Amino acid sequence: MARLTEEQEAKRREAKMSEPSGLLRSERMCMVQLIVQHDAAQHTVEELGALGSLMFIDLNEGVTAFRRTFLPELRRCDEADRALRFIGDQLAAVGSSPPRASWRSELRVSLPELVSELEDAVKEVRQLQASQRELASNYNALIELSHVLRKCDGIFSEARQGEFGDGGVQQVPRSLSYAELIRAPSLGLSLDSYGNHASSNYNSETSGDELPGDELDGGSAADLERGGARRRRGGGDGGGMAALRGGDATAAGLRLGYVCGVLPTARLAAFERVLFRATRGNMFMRSATIDQLVRDPKTEELQHKAVFLIFFSGQQSFARMAKIADAFGAHRYNYPAKYSKRAALLSQALTRLDELSHVIDHVVARKEALLSSLAARHGAWRTHLARQKGLYNALNLWNYDLTRKVLIAEAWCPASMIEETQEALRRATSRSGAHVPSILNVLETDEAPPTYFRVNKVTSAFQEIIDTYGVPRYGEINPAAFTVITFPFLFGARPAPPLARVMFGDVGHGSMVTAFALYLCVNETKMLALSARLRDDIITMAVRGRYMLLLMGIFSIYCGVLYNDVFGLMADFFGTSWTETPPRHGGPRELKAHGMVYPFGIDPGWHRSANELSFGNSYKMKLSIVLGVAQMLLGLGISLVNALAARNALDVWCDFVPQAIFMLSIFGYLVFCIFYKWSIDWVAEERVAPSLITLLISFFMSPGEVPAEARLYAGQERVQVLLLLLAFVAVPWMLLAKPLLLRRRHLARAGYKNVACRPTARDDPAAARGLLRSTRDHDTDEDSVSVASSNNGKAYAEEFDFSEIMVHQVIHSIEYVLGCVSNTASYLRLWALSLAHKQLSMVFWEMVMLPPLQSCRAGGSSWRCAVPLFFGFAVWVVLTTAIICCMEMLSAFLHALRLHWVEFQNKFYKGDGKKFVPFSFQTMVENMDDEE
C-alpha cells in the first residue's frame, strides 16, 4: 500500500479522535509525549494530577527504585507518613475523628517544611505522653503506698487484738538498724550489702530516738510464729519462721528484717509457696486484700491486689526474696517501724496525691488541646502528603535528559482530552514562570492502548462487575452495556409460578427491595458519608450498588406482576378467565367466554388447578431454555460485531459462522420447537401435545425417525437430519479452518522474511511506540489489521508457531461444543431456584400467618385474634426480610453473576485488556480513604 500523505494522515487521526465513545466501546486513546523544563515539572504534574487525563508509562523500567531521581523526596514523604500515622493513632486512641479534607485542598508549604512541622508535633505529643505516663506511674505508686501503710497497720492491729493466746501486747517489729547490721556477723550482713538493699526498699532505719540495744522480747518471735501457725507451709495468708540457730545466738538476741509491698491477688498463693521453698521456711508472711481495684504503676491496668508483709532473718534471705518479688511483678515499699513516721509518711503521700492530680489534669488538658489542633489540620496534611507522594512517584516514571535539562514523559490520554491536557500544560508553565513552554506530541504506536469507559453513578456498579472478571480489550464491546439490563432482569426473574421472577420476581419482595434502594438513592449523600465513616463492607457495597438494587427491585416487581405473585401467593389483579366447576374439586375447568385471555401475565386460575405443578414446571423449564439460548446468541452476535470492527475476516468465517451454525442447528431448533408447541391449541385439534424431551432424544439417537409422541409438523424428519448434518460439519470447520489458513498466510509471506521490517514492541519498546513519527506504513493494510486484532492490538505479530495455534484452536473448539450443552443446561438454574423461592414463601405463609388468620376466622374474642395475629405477623416479617429478601436475594445475585460471567461472556469476551488508570489526585485520596 502506498504511504499516506501527511495531510491524509492528519485527517484520518482527527476523524478517529472525533468518533463518539460511550459505555459500549472504549474511548479513543492515543499516546502522547511531554517535554517539560525541569523548573516547571512539579507544577506540570500538579496540574495534570488535578485534571486526571494521563496514564504515565514508566520510561525507567530497568532502573531500581533505589536509583530513581526523586528517591530523597519520597523518603521524606515516608517520614511524614509515619508521623501522620502516629498522630492518627493518638487521635483514634482518644476517640477523635479528624475531618477529611477535599482532594482539591492544597497547602502552600514545601515538603521539607511539612516534614519539619510534623516532626515537631510528634515530638511535643511524645513529650506530653512521657510526662503523663511518669506522673500517672508516680500517682499509682503513691496510691499503693497509702494502701500499704493502712493495711500493714491493720495486720498488726489484728495481731494485737486476737492472734496471741497469752493476751500480751505485741510490739511492732522493726527492721535492723545500721549499727545492728555491723554488730551481727552471724546474719551474714555487711555494710556494703546493707547500702545496696537500702536503695532496694530493704526497710532498715536508723533514727535518733531508736537505740541499737532495742530488741524484740524473747516471746515476741514465738508469739508471731504461733499466730501464723495456721498459715504455715502453703497457707493462704501467711508462712512460718523457723527458730534461729547458729553459734551462741538465741532467739532473744536476734533482729528481724521485713519487706512489704503490693502484688496481684492471683499471684499471691504462688508467690508465698516459692518464698517458703526458697528460704526453707525461714520467713513469716502476712497479707491483706485491697478492697478496691488498683491501677498498676507500670502497666496501668486495673487489677485486684493484696498487700504482703514478710519477716525474715539474714541478708541472703532478703536477696532471694527481692529477686522473687521482682519476678512476680511485686512492688516493694518503705514501711517505717515507728507510728509517728508512718503517719507522717501517709500524710505526705496524701498531700502529694492531691498535687499530682492537679498536675495530671493540667497535662491532660494540654494534650487534649494539642490533639484538637492536630485533628483540625490532620485531614489537610494527609491530603497534601498523598498529593506529594503521587507527584514524586509520577516524576520517577519520567526520563531526565541531562543534556537539555528537560524531563520527558510518555502517557496514554483519551483523544477527547488532548485539548484539556494542553491547556493544563499552559497553566503549569505560567505558574512556574518557565521561559520555554512545555511540548505535547501525539505519537503513533503499535502497543495495545488501555481501555477506558466513561461511567456514571448508575453504570459504575455494573462496570465493576465486568472488571472483576477481566478488563475488556481496547476496541472490544463492553459487556457492561448489556449487563445493565440483563443482570437485573435475570435477578428479577426468579420464583413464582413459571420461571416465577426469573430469579427473584415477586411484587411483595420486589417492592421491599425497591423501597430500600430508593431510600439509598434519595439520601445518597448522607449514606455515602455514613459508609465512609463506618467503613463496613456490607454497607459500602449496598450504598455503591444502590442503583443496581433499584433496577433489581423494579424488574422483580415487573416479573411478579407478569406471574401474579405477591409474597409467594397467587394474586388476581384483573379477574381470572376460568370458572370452577364444581368448586374446590379440580380447580378451573372452563373459560368464562370463548377466546377469553387474561390481560397481563399468567391467569391466576392455574393456582387452583389440579395440574398447577406440572404446568408451572414445564413452563419454567422451557422459558429458562429460551432465555439462555437468547442470551448466548446475543454473545455470539457481539463476537461478530467485534470481528467486523477489527476487520478480521478469519474470525468471521472461521469462528462466528461455524459457531452460529452449530448453536442454531441444535439449540436454536429447540427454541423454535418450544414456540411452535406454544402456538398450537392441541386441545382444539384433539391431539396430545408432543413431548419435546422425546423429540430431542430422537434428534440425536435416531436421525430421520420421529416418534409419534414427538411429531410437531410435516417434513420434520428431513429438517432434523439437515440440521444435524450442519452441526456435524460445523465442528471440523471451526477446528481446522483457522489454523490452516493462518499457516497458508504465513508460508505465503515466508519469501519476504529477509526484508527489513519495523521492530515489534517486544524487541524495542521505544521503536515500537514510534517516537517522533508522524506516519505509519501499514494502517490501510487489511491483513495487518486482521493480525492486529488477533494479537491484542499489536499491529505486528510475534513468531508463528503452527503447533501452538492448533492446540489453542482444538481447546477452543472443544470448549465451545461442550459449553453449548452445559451452558444451556446451566440456565435451568432459573427453573430450580424458582421452585425453591416459591415453596419457601408458601411455607412461611402457611406455617406462620395462616394459623392466626384461621383462628380469627373461626371467631372468638378480639384479644384471642389480635395477639396471635400480631406475633405471627412479626415473625413472618422477620423471616421474609432475613431469609427471602437478604439470603435469597444474595443467592439470586450470585447465580445471575455466574450466568453472565460463564454462560454469556465466554462467547465473545477475552477480558485480558489493560485498564486505563489515570494519574489523578482525586483517585489517590479516595483510594487512601478506602484503604483506611
Side-chain angles (χ1 to χ4, degrees):
M1 301 296 293
R3 182 187 296 271
L4 295 176
T5 64
E6 294 185 2
E7 182 178 355
Q8 290 174 332
E9 175 68 18
K11 289 182 179 181
R12 185 188 63 82
R13 189 187 307 119
E14 183 179 355
K16 284 186 176 182
M17 291 184 180
S18 62
E19 290 181 3
S21 61
L23 189 64
L24 188 62
R25 288 189 185 275
S26 171
E27 187 164 345
R28 182 69 58 180
M29 305 295 295
C30 58
M31 180 177 285
V32 297
Q33 182 189 58
L34 304 179
I35 302 176
V36 182
Q37 292 292 320
H38 183 272
D39 297 337
Q42 184 171 349
H43 294 87
T44 300
V45 176
E46 289 176 354
E47 291 291 341
L48 295 175
L51 179 61
S53 62
L54 297 182
M55 176 180 172
F56 291 110
I57 300 172
D58 191 0
L59 300 182
N60 304 303
E61 293 183 6
V63 182
T64 62
F66 299 101
R67 298 177 58 190
R68 301 279 174 141
T69 306
F70 296 93
L71 179 62
E73 287 78 5
L74 287 176
R75 286 178 174 170
R76 289 198 189 100
C77 290
D78 291 338
E79 295 174 2
D81 190 31
R82 284 192 292 271
L84 268 180
R85 284 200 302 270
F86 173 79
I87 295 174
D89 293 340
Q90 299 305 311
L91 295 175
V94 298
S96 176
S97 179
R100 298 190 178 186
S102 171
W103 67 272
R104 297 181 182 275
S105 61
E106 182 179 359
L107 299 177
R108 298 297 179 181
V109 294
S110 63
L111 182 59
E113 293 174 351
L114 177 63
V115 173
S116 176
E117 188 175 0
L118 289 174
E119 288 178 348
D120 292 341
V122 169
K123 183 178 180 181
E124 187 173 359
V125 172
R126 290 186 187 276
Q127 289 177 350
L128 289 175
Q129 281 185 330
S131 300
Q132 186 178 0
R133 281 195 296 267
E134 184 177 358
L135 291 171
S137 177
N138 294 337
Y139 185 86
N140 296 326
L142 288 174
I143 291 290
E144 289 189 348
L145 176 60
S146 64
H147 284 298
V148 168
L149 294 174
R150 290 192 178 101
K151 291 296 180 180
C152 286
D153 285 346
I155 291 173
F156 288 118
S157 298
E158 178 185 350
R160 291 191 188 97
Q161 293 173 3
E163 292 198 6
F164 294 94
D166 56 0
V169 178
Q170 178 195 16
Q171 295 183 0
V172 177
R174 58 181 175 82
S175 58
L176 297 175
S177 66
Y178 180 82
E180 291 167 339
L181 290 173
I182 300 176
R183 295 203 322 263
S186 62
L187 299 179
L189 304 178
S190 65
L191 178 62
D192 296 336
S193 63
Y194 167 76
N196 293 336
H197 289 295
S199 61
S200 302
N201 292 335
Y202 182 90
N203 294 307
S204 297
E205 296 184 18
T206 302
S207 58
D209 57 351
E210 182 180 347
L211 298 176
D214 290 343
E215 299 176 354
L216 292 172
D217 62 305
S220 296
D223 291 339
L224 286 173
E225 183 177 356
R226 285 196 303 272
R230 60 186 175 84
R231 300 181 180 89
R232 190 173 304 201
R233 295 187 181 275
D237 294 327
M241 186 175 69
L244 296 176
R245 301 173 183 176
D248 297 331
T250 64
L254 295 177
R255 295 292 176 234
L256 298 177
Y258 62 88
V259 175
C260 61
V262 178
L263 184 72
T265 306
R267 304 177 186 174
L268 187 61
F271 176 64
E272 183 178 357
R273 288 194 296 268
V274 173
L275 280 177
F276 186 85
R277 293 168 183 169
T279 59
R280 298 181 181 180
N282 293 317
M283 68 94 180
F284 179 82
M285 177 176 172
R286 295 294 303 275
S287 63
T289 303
I290 300 175
D291 298 332
Q292 62 186 20
L293 290 173
V294 180
R295 191 174 297 277
D296 191 87
K298 293 183 179 179
T299 63
E300 299 184 357
E301 295 179 357
L302 286 174
Q303 298 176 342
H304 290 282
K305 291 193 174 185
V307 175
F308 63 85
L309 181 63
I310 307 170
F311 299 93
F312 64 92
S313 63
Q315 179 69 15
Q316 293 180 356
S317 298
F318 171 76
R320 294 193 192 100
M321 285 188 292
K323 292 180 180 179
I324 294 172
D326 293 340
F328 275 85
H331 301 146
R332 292 174 285 137
Y333 294 96
N334 180 36
Y335 182 74
K338 293 186 176 296
Y339 175 78
S340 59
K341 291 187 177 183
R342 293 198 299 273
L345 182 59
L346 179 60
S347 176
Q348 292 175 5
L350 296 177
T351 303
R352 182 62 177 160
L353 282 173
D354 185 62
E355 294 175 353
L356 282 177
S357 64
H358 288 86
V359 176
I360 290 174
D361 291 341
H362 176 73
V363 172
V364 170
R366 175 72 184 90
K367 182 181 176 182
E368 289 179 353
L370 176 61
L371 291 179
S372 178
S373 64
L374 294 178
R377 293 181 289 173
H378 184 269
W381 280 340
R382 185 167 158 273
T383 302
H384 184 69
L385 180 61
R387 293 167 62 101
Q388 290 295 310
K389 289 178 67 175
L391 184 149
Y392 290 112
N393 279 323
L395 287 176
N396 274 335
L397 303 178
W398 295 24
N399 186 19
Y400 185 50
D401 191 341
L402 295 175
T403 57
R404 294 184 290 177
K405 294 184 179 180
V406 296
L407 287 167
I408 301 175
E410 292 180 6
W412 291 104
C413 177
S416 60
M417 301 186 70
I418 292 291
E419 293 296 332
E420 298 179 35
T421 305
Q422 291 176 339
E423 180 61 29
L425 294 179
R426 287 191 287 268
R427 289 196 303 269
T429 302
S430 176
R431 283 180 53 192
S432 63
H435 300 290
V436 180
S438 301
I439 301 173
L440 185 146
N441 296 322
V442 178
L443 305 178
E444 294 295 335
T445 178
D446 296 334
E447 291 186 4
T451 306
Y452 175 53
F453 300 104
R454 291 187 183 272
V455 295
N456 51 39
K457 56 186 179 182
V458 177
T459 59
S460 59
F462 297 97
Q463 188 62 55
E464 287 181 4
I465 289 177
I466 300 302
D467 290 344
T468 303
Y469 179 85
V471 179
R473 285 183 179 181
Y474 179 74
E476 185 178 24
I477 286 184
N478 184 18
F482 305 93
T483 305
V484 172
I485 300 300
T486 58
F487 188 89
F489 177 74
L490 289 182
F491 170 87
R494 173 178 182 177
L499 208 217
R501 328 172 260 252
V502 181
M503 270 194 308
F504 198 79
D506 188 291
V507 174
H509 301 147
S511 298
M512 297 176 67
V513 175
T514 303
F516 175 69
L518 279 175
Y519 177 80
L520 295 180
C521 295
V522 172
N523 302 278
E524 62 180 17
T525 303
K526 181 172 65 176
M527 298 308 298
L528 286 172
L530 177 65
S531 64
R533 185 172 67 255
L534 297 179
R535 299 176 185 178
D536 184 83
D537 292 339
I538 297 178
I539 296 177
T540 301
M541 286 190 295
V543 174
R544 290 186 176 180
R546 56 193 180 279
Y547 290 100
M548 179 185 291
L549 286 176
L550 180 62
L551 290 175
M552 289 176 178
I554 292 174
F555 276 102
S556 296
I557 295 174
Y558 168 77
C559 292
V561 173
L562 186 65
Y563 298 111
N564 290 320
D565 211 24
V566 180
F567 292 114
L569 303 177
M570 180 67 73
D572 191 351
F573 296 115
F574 306 104
T576 179
S577 304
W578 296 85
T579 60
E580 292 190 7
T581 326
R584 300 184 183 89
H585 294 283
R589 298 293 183 86
E590 298 178 356
L591 288 172
K592 293 180 179 179
H594 179 71
M596 186 176 181
V597 179
Y598 193 73
F600 186 81
I602 289 191
D603 194 308
W606 286 104
H607 181 60
R608 299 182 296 273
S609 63
N611 61 341
E612 175 194 5
L613 187 61
S614 61
F615 168 78
N617 285 338
S618 175
Y619 189 79
K620 293 176 191 179
M621 182 173 62
K622 294 181 177 65
L623 190 57
S624 298
I625 293 174
V626 170
L627 291 175
V629 173
Q631 190 174 31
M632 290 190 291
L633 288 176
L634 174 62
L636 272 181
I638 295 174
S639 68
L640 172 63
V641 176
N642 284 336
L644 293 176
R647 291 182 291 178
N648 192 336
L650 280 180
D651 286 348
V652 174
W653 295 105
C654 300
D655 281 339
F656 169 76
V657 173
Q659 289 176 2
I661 291 175
F662 183 84
M663 174 71 75
L664 292 173
S665 298
I666 299 176
F667 302 100
Y669 177 68
L670 178 61
V671 172
F672 165 77
C673 292
I674 291 173
F675 280 105
Y676 187 84
K677 181 179 178 180
W678 284 347
S679 65
I680 302 298
D681 187 354
W682 302 101
V683 176
E685 294 189 2
E686 299 181 353
R687 292 175 53 192
V688 177
S691 171
L692 295 183
I693 297 178
T694 305
L695 183 150
L696 193 61
I697 293 174
S698 64
F699 181 81
F700 291 102
M701 302 304 296
S702 56
E705 298 180 6
V706 177
E709 62 271 19
R711 181 170 297 279
L712 285 173
Y713 55 88
Q716 185 175 344
E717 296 85 349
R718 292 189 297 273
V719 173
Q720 291 185 175
V721 169
L722 176 63
L723 293 176
L724 192 61
L725 289 175
L726 289 176
F728 278 117
V729 169
V731 174
W733 186 351
M734 73 176 77
L735 180 67
L736 301 174
K738 189 173 183 178
L740 293 177
L741 289 176
L742 286 175
R743 181 174 180 273
R744 178 184 177 186
R745 178 180 297 177
H746 171 71
L747 294 176
R749 294 177 178 175
Y752 302 95
K753 61 183 179 181
N754 295 326
V755 179
C757 63
R758 188 174 176 181
T760 63
R762 171 180 291 186
D763 300 329
D764 188 355
R769 283 195 289 269
L771 304 183
L772 302 180
R773 287 175 176 261
S774 60
T775 61
R776 191 164 73 185
D777 297 339
H778 304 276
D779 284 334
T780 58
D781 190 344
E782 182 176 350
D783 290 339
S784 67
V785 174
S786 176
V787 174
S789 68
S790 61
N791 287 279
N792 195 13
K794 294 181 180 180
Y796 297 90
E798 300 175 356
E799 183 180 355
F800 183 83
D801 188 347
F802 179 74
S803 61
E804 181 179 352
I805 294 176
M806 192 66 198
V807 169
H808 178 271
Q809 191 67 20
V810 169
I811 295 174
H812 177 69
S813 301
I814 295 175
E815 180 184 9
Y816 179 80
V817 172
L818 298 180
C820 286
V821 180
S822 62
N823 294 345
T824 304
S826 182
Y827 278 92
L828 293 177
R829 72 183 62 241
L830 301 174
W831 164 41
L833 290 171
S834 71
L835 290 176
H837 184 94
K838 174 68 175 179
Q839 296 303 316
L840 195 59
S841 301
M842 292 182 63
V843 166
F844 288 160
W845 178 262
E846 293 176 358
M847 300 297 292
V848 179
M849 283 297 296
L850 199 57
L853 290 174
Q854 290 176 348
S855 64
C856 292
R857 195 178 297 117
S861 63
S862 59
W863 285 106
R864 292 182 60 185
C865 175
V867 173
L869 188 61
F870 173 79
F871 286 103
F873 179 75
V875 173
W876 179 78
V877 169
V878 171
L879 291 176
T880 299
T881 303
I883 296 181
I884 296 181
C885 288
C886 292
M887 295 179 62
E888 283 283 316
M889 185 176 69
L890 179 61
S891 174
F893 179 89
L894 294 176
H895 284 288
L897 191 65
R898 182 239 155 77
L899 291 177
H900 280 78
W901 279 359
V902 179
E903 278 73 26
F904 173 56
Q905 293 179 189
N906 69 352
K907 301 297 183 295
F908 68 96
Y909 190 55
K910 304 299 181 183
D912 56 356
K914 179 173 59 177
K915 188 175 182 179
F916 177 69
V917 183
F919 172 71
S920 171
F921 290 147
Q922 180 180 6
T923 304
M924 292 177 191
V925 175
E926 290 176 353
N927 292 340
M928 181 175 59
D929 293 339
D930 292 340
E931 291 175 359
E932 293 184 357

